[in-house]
Amino acid sequence: MKWFRKIYLNNFLFYVIMGIIVCFVTAQFIPSLYKACWLLLYITLGFIVVDFLLLFASNQRFTAHRKTPEKFSNGDENPVVIEMESGYSFPVSIKVIDEIPQQFQVRNFEIKRKVPAGTKDSFEYFLRPVERGEYYFGSLNVYVSSPLHLVCRRFIFDNGAMVPTYPSFIQLKKYDLMAFSNKLFQYGLKKIRRIGHTMEFEQIKDYVSGDDLRTINWKATAKKNQLMVNQFQDERSQNVYMVIDKGRVMKMPFNGLSLLDYAINSTLVLSNIILKKQDKAGMFTFSKKVENRVAAERRSSQMQRILETLYNVKTNFFESDFGRLYGDIKKNVNQRSLILLYTNFETVDSLKRQLPYLKGIAHNHLLVVVFFENSELDQLINGKVKNVQEVYDQVIAEKLAFEKRLIVNELKKYGIHSVLTKPENLTIESINKYLEIKARGIL
């Protein structure tokens, strides 16, 4: 009876049956139509038998396969390819119903196509995950109909595939090329003049015409009785840590992604650029405690370690403990480092509660606090008001937006750098800040 489960009736057949029923009802009032109704019924049954034989009684087959990426990129459009091959000797109409992972909450997914006789066909659709984790596909269901469109045959393929969703590696590839080309300037990055020297000693060499006289090593010159100069190279291998707050303030969603996931995607992209710039990239997260630690290093496997660590970062709804963060950094980060702290402050009062700990971190390290504009307020601020209630809403929205700018000024008073950005611009703004610090040589 397995073949019986493969039989499905098309909507067209139900329309034909409804027409026959109407014909029989009409025949009760016009008896001359009675024989025509029975003839129409027999013809329909004959076509059903022919359609059934076309789809089931031959050795002609239909195959399909779902090709998914090895892993999904969180927050990006990921292609899923369906490849099909028809073994039927006549053109068929198909309806594809793919059982996509439940995280997408899509209940009416179907794609209709026509496949010529004995040919291959393929198409793709796109999925945009907004959570990291494992995504399980169900069956790939293909319903094949002959040109009669009365009966269709169901084929089932690729049951039970799993695709993990990682932080946005698509953005990583995109910005990897931009960081070493002028294309970054198109995204708002500014050309910054290098001030002073950020140099470390490399070797002593013979003086040649054109060398900077300020680099003459007089002790070596006296020993060799000829001019010797110190040779320097740009300072490398500076430690850069991305610190991600995974407390409840980072659970706020924008365009489907939480602030935490925006921070994770930015950390992955920035880590890659840091390593390409010959610095050491590291990261850790904190909430009630500090965890998910990757020590700042510059080795070939560092990006994979960071990617796997970011994949497993889980948020919670606790109040983040900045005191514990300060103690952990003081204990474990001994060398002066650039620390980019991804968090969020809504009011100056919420900042002042944590300011003593931020000042403590900034005393030994170069601290950059990265927090977010509430882009949802833009519509309220820029919209036209129609009544008193909307006036109140607009004033409150403007006050909240102004508080964000006050936070920037408050941090600046204590020598703490900051990046205030919309969530969707977080990655490019973080890259901008890192390259600015490198260019100015202030680390």
Side-chain angles (χ1 to χ4, degrees), residues 97-370:
I97 299 179
D98 198 0
E99 297 175 2
I100 64 178
Q102 56 87 19
Q103 288 96 327
F104 295 103
Q105 292 296 301
V106 178
R107 306 296 185 185
N108 58 346
F109 179 89
E110 67 174 48
I111 297 174
K112 295 181 179 180
R113 293 180 71 85
K114 291 185 178 180
V115 181
T119 61
K120 295 181 180 180
D121 188 24
S122 66
F123 65 90
E124 66 179 8
Y125 63 91
F126 293 87
L127 296 174
R128 181 179 180 266
V130 293
E131 297 178 358
R132 286 162 292 112
E134 297 178 344
Y135 283 62
Y136 288 91
F137 284 84
S139 301
L140 175 63
N141 302 279
V142 181
Y143 297 84
V144 180
S145 301
S146 75
L148 296 176
H149 290 287
L150 298 174
V151 180
C152 64
R153 180 176 179 179
R154 179 189 182 189
F155 293 92
I156 302 177
F157 306 99
D158 296 344
N159 188 20
M162 190 279 287
V163 180
T165 297
Y166 278 78
S168 181
F169 52 85
I170 290 179
Q171 288 187 28
L172 185 150
K173 296 174 183 177
K174 171 184 174 184
Y175 291 115
D176 188 13
L177 295 175
M178 288 183 179
F180 298 93
S181 70
N182 290 330
K183 287 186 178 181
L184 276 174
F185 302 142
Q186 301 172 10
Y187 287 78
L189 291 179
K190 300 177 182 178
K191 227 173 187 179
I192 299 168
R193 182 171 57 90
R194 180 181 293 273
I195 300 173
H197 295 276
T198 306
M199 313 288 278
E200 64 180 12
F201 177 77
E202 183 179 14
Q203 64 176 349
I204 300 174
K205 69 179 189 70
D206 294 335
Y207 173 84
V208 295
S209 179
D211 282 341
D212 190 345
L213 296 177
R214 293 174 297 176
T215 63
I216 294 176
N217 187 319
W218 294 106
K219 289 185 178 180
T221 298
K223 288 180 179 179
K224 297 199 69 174
N225 200 26
Q226 65 180 44
L227 284 175
M228 305 293 293
V229 295
N230 295 327
Q231 185 174 6
F232 298 88
Q233 63 178 1
D234 285 341
E235 188 176 11
R236 295 184 175 184
S237 299
Q238 296 168 323
N239 288 347
V240 183
Y241 280 95
M242 280 69 65
V243 182
I244 302 174
D245 181 354
K246 60 178 184 178
R248 64 168 172 253
V249 297
M250 298 292 281
K251 194 64 176 175
M252 188 181 298
F254 287 92
N255 296 327
L257 284 177
S258 68
L259 295 182
L260 177 67
D261 281 306
Y262 280 109
I264 287 172
N265 290 344
S266 174
T267 296
L268 181 66
V269 174
L270 188 55
S271 297
N272 185 53
I273 291 177
I274 289 168
L275 293 172
K276 293 290 178 66
K277 291 289 186 179
Q278 308 300 320
D279 284 335
K280 298 178 181 178
M283 61 149 292
F284 51 90
T285 66
F286 79 103
S287 179
K288 294 292 286 185
K289 60 181 180 179
V290 177
E291 50 193 350
N292 305 114
R293 187 189 306 277
V294 177
E297 294 179 354
R298 186 169 60 86
R299 54 183 184 177
S300 58
S301 62
Q302 188 72 352
M303 274 305 300
Q304 186 62 32
R305 291 179 61 199
I306 291 174
L307 178 62
E308 294 296 336
T309 303
L310 290 172
Y311 174 75
N312 293 312
V313 171
K314 305 296 181 184
T315 187
N316 55 51
F317 293 94
F318 294 118
E319 183 76 24
S320 298
D321 189 343
F322 281 76
R324 180 164 298 215
L325 173 66
Y326 165 68
D328 185 272
I329 291 177
K330 188 173 183 179
K331 177 182 177 182
N332 296 303
V333 184
N334 299 318
Q335 183 180 345
R336 178 174 171 81
S337 307
L338 170 60
I339 296 178
L340 289 99
L341 172 60
Y342 292 95
T343 185
N344 198 31
F345 296 110
E346 292 294 338
T347 64
V348 176
D349 289 337
S350 64
L351 169 68
K352 288 184 176 179
R353 287 196 298 269
Q354 314 301 343
L355 196 53
Y357 306 115
L358 298 179
K359 289 162 60 178
I361 297 172
H363 181 71
N364 297 313
H365 304 280
L366 180 60
L367 176 62
V368 179
V369 177
V370 184

Side-chain angles (χ1 to χ4, degrees), residues 34 40 58 84 86 88 104 122 140 164 239 282 287 301 310 341 346 385 417 430 442-443:
Y34 195 68
L40 182 61
S58 66
M84 302 171 293
S86 173
Y88 288 99
F104 295 103
S122 66
L140 175 63
N239 288 347
S287 179
S301 62
L310 290 172
L341 172 60
E346 292 294 338
V385 295
H417 296 257
S430 299
I442 58 178
L443 179 57

Side-chain angles (χ1 to χ4, degrees), residues 383-391:
K384 293 182 178 180
V385 295
K386 298 178 181 178
N387 51 53
V388 175
Q389 180 61 49
E390 291 183 358
V391 172

